Amino acid sequence: MLNNYPAHLDEKVRVSFEMESEEALNNSAINVLFDVGNTNDYSEGFTGMEWGTGVDYFGESANINDVTNAESYTAILVSDEFGGKIIVTRKEMNNVPDATTLFNKVISKRKTTLISDTANFVEEQAMEMLNLGHTTQLAPDSVAIFGTHTYKSTGAAFTNTSTTVAGEAALTELEAYAGNFKDANGKPIPFSPKTLIVKKGGSASVSFRKVLAGDNKLQAATIGNVNIYNNGDYTLIESPFVTSDTAWYAMDTRKDNALIVDFVKRPSLNPRITRENLDEVTIQDGSFKFGCVYLPMFWYGSTGV
């Protein structure tokens, strides 16, 4: 009978939890889709820069242009806390013979579940930027991420939303958007949105896989919760956390990502506490903020209907 939760298990649980939790987050699709980082700022403002003057011809007596940018809108993100806990009841402690059995049978299993649940929670919450991207004012210009956006500096606009169904026509439309894109002053900024995001098992995924495969077999891989297909040109990412069966999203991974996930505190375990009924509770907590902090020029999205 084990009457007390051995103190040395605290450090063992904490170290293994934080190492495995970090590995789970590193394998999450958020690292592929969003700009993920760490910050010490609980609340933070982000001000984008809009394209302005740049390179031009000059003569012997002419001034060389300064490469300057006008300020865009400011987005304020505030961090939220999240967490869970591991509970070892007095009865469980009384029913195991030693500390090793307690760790292997009770604590380790719950630790693994908590790590998986935490990584899934973070990914699911971050994916709301896409799931709500057509209906909720999440962009810094008080417009949905996928909508018609207006440059603050000049009043020019661009539209990065569509209703086109996934398939060949969608890719044609996407390439036209990217090839014709212009900055605030009307100068072309061509880019290549070759990463497509869809719901795992959804109709949009089925349609894109047929088009992308052609006569060849797609190269497939799995990272965390997502399937990734590649045909040498496009990359198709299937996520279970995309809620729409028909929606599809596209981005250029080489460009600055307007959608960010910033951790103020990575998931970690706090010191164990003992309840009045002698149950032992170890609380895990973390803190992060996420959102669209710049005009989402290099993103494109369709409802697919």
Side-chain angles (χ1 to χ4, degrees):
M1 179 181 294
L2 185 66
N3 293 315
N4 296 303
Y5 185 147
H8 74 272
L9 282 186
D10 281 334
E11 184 65 11
K12 184 176 182 179
V13 173
R14 185 191 66 79
V15 172
S16 62
F17 175 89
E18 293 181 4
M19 290 178 60
E20 292 172 34
S21 179
E22 189 67 17
E23 181 180 3
L25 288 175
N26 288 339
N27 288 331
S28 170
I30 63 173
N31 298 285
V32 179
L33 302 177
F34 311 120
D35 184 1
V36 180
N38 300 303
T39 178
N40 294 321
D41 298 315
Y42 182 85
S43 176
E44 192 172 1
F46 300 82
T47 301
M49 304 299 290
E50 296 181 356
W51 302 91
T53 58
V55 176
D56 203 350
Y57 291 108
F58 66 92
E60 292 184 4
S61 60
N63 293 325
I64 300 176
N65 280 352
D66 293 330
V67 179
T68 59
N69 301 96
E71 283 193 354
S72 188
Y73 304 92
T74 297
I76 305 294
L77 298 186
V78 179
S79 183
D80 288 312
E81 287 73 39
F82 60 89
K85 59 181 178 285
I86 299 172
I87 299 177
V88 181
T89 67
R90 179 180 59 182
K91 182 177 180 180
E92 287 172 320
M93 287 188 288
N94 289 337
N95 285 339
V96 295
D98 53 55
T100 299
T101 303
L102 176 66
F103 181 83
N104 291 337
K105 283 194 172 183
V106 180
I107 301 173
S108 182
K109 182 182 293 185
R110 291 176 192 169
K111 170 180 64 68
T112 300
T113 300
L114 183 57
I115 290 169
S116 176
D117 286 351
T118 299
N120 288 343
F121 173 82
V122 170
E123 187 172 335
E124 183 177 21
Q125 294 303 303
M127 289 298 289
E128 288 295 271
M129 289 187 282
L130 301 186
N131 293 327
L132 300 176
H134 285 98
T135 59
T136 306
Q137 296 178 351
L138 299 177
D141 54 344
S142 299
V143 176
I145 291 175
F146 305 107
T148 296
H149 300 275
T150 303
Y151 290 109
K152 183 179 179 181
S153 58
T154 64
F158 66 91
T159 299
N160 66 340
T161 183
S162 171
T163 59
T164 302
V165 177
E168 188 70 44
L171 297 181
T172 300
E173 176 181 287
L174 178 62
E175 295 294 346
Y177 169 78
N180 294 318
F181 193 84
K182 295 178 173 59
D183 70 7
N185 285 334
K187 294 181 180 179
I189 313 177
F191 62 100
S192 298
K194 296 293 187 178
T195 298
L196 306 170
I197 305 101
V198 294
K199 179 176 179 59
K200 183 184 287 187
S203 61
S205 173
V206 173
S207 296
F208 274 137
R209 274 189 284 150
K210 287 180 180 178
V211 171
L212 298 181
D215 297 326
N216 301 312
K217 186 176 180 179
L218 291 174
Q219 297 297 313
T222 299
I223 297 179
N225 295 306
V226 304
N227 295 331
I228 301 177
Y229 299 95
N230 191 290
N231 71 347
D233 187 15
Y234 286 93
T235 297
L236 178 67
I237 298 177
E238 293 183 327
S239 170
F241 298 118
V242 172
T243 55
S244 171
D245 186 73
T246 61
W248 56 272
Y249 313 94
M251 62 178 292
D252 187 341
T253 57
R254 301 173 306 168
K255 296 291 187 179
D256 290 340
N257 200 332
L259 309 187
I260 74 165
V261 177
D262 269 356
F263 287 92
V264 177
K265 181 183 180 184
R266 293 270 177 165
S268 61
L269 290 180
N270 292 285
R272 170 172 48 96
I273 58 176
T274 304
R275 289 176 171 172
E276 289 184 0
N277 65 355
L278 300 184
D279 288 350
E280 301 287 351
V281 181
T282 304
I283 297 175
Q284 167 259 340
D285 73 323
S287 178
F288 73 150
K289 55 182 183 282
F290 58 89
C292 179
V293 295
Y294 310 122
L295 291 180
M297 299 180 289
F298 306 123
W299 277 91
Y300 194 81
S302 172
T303 59
V305 291

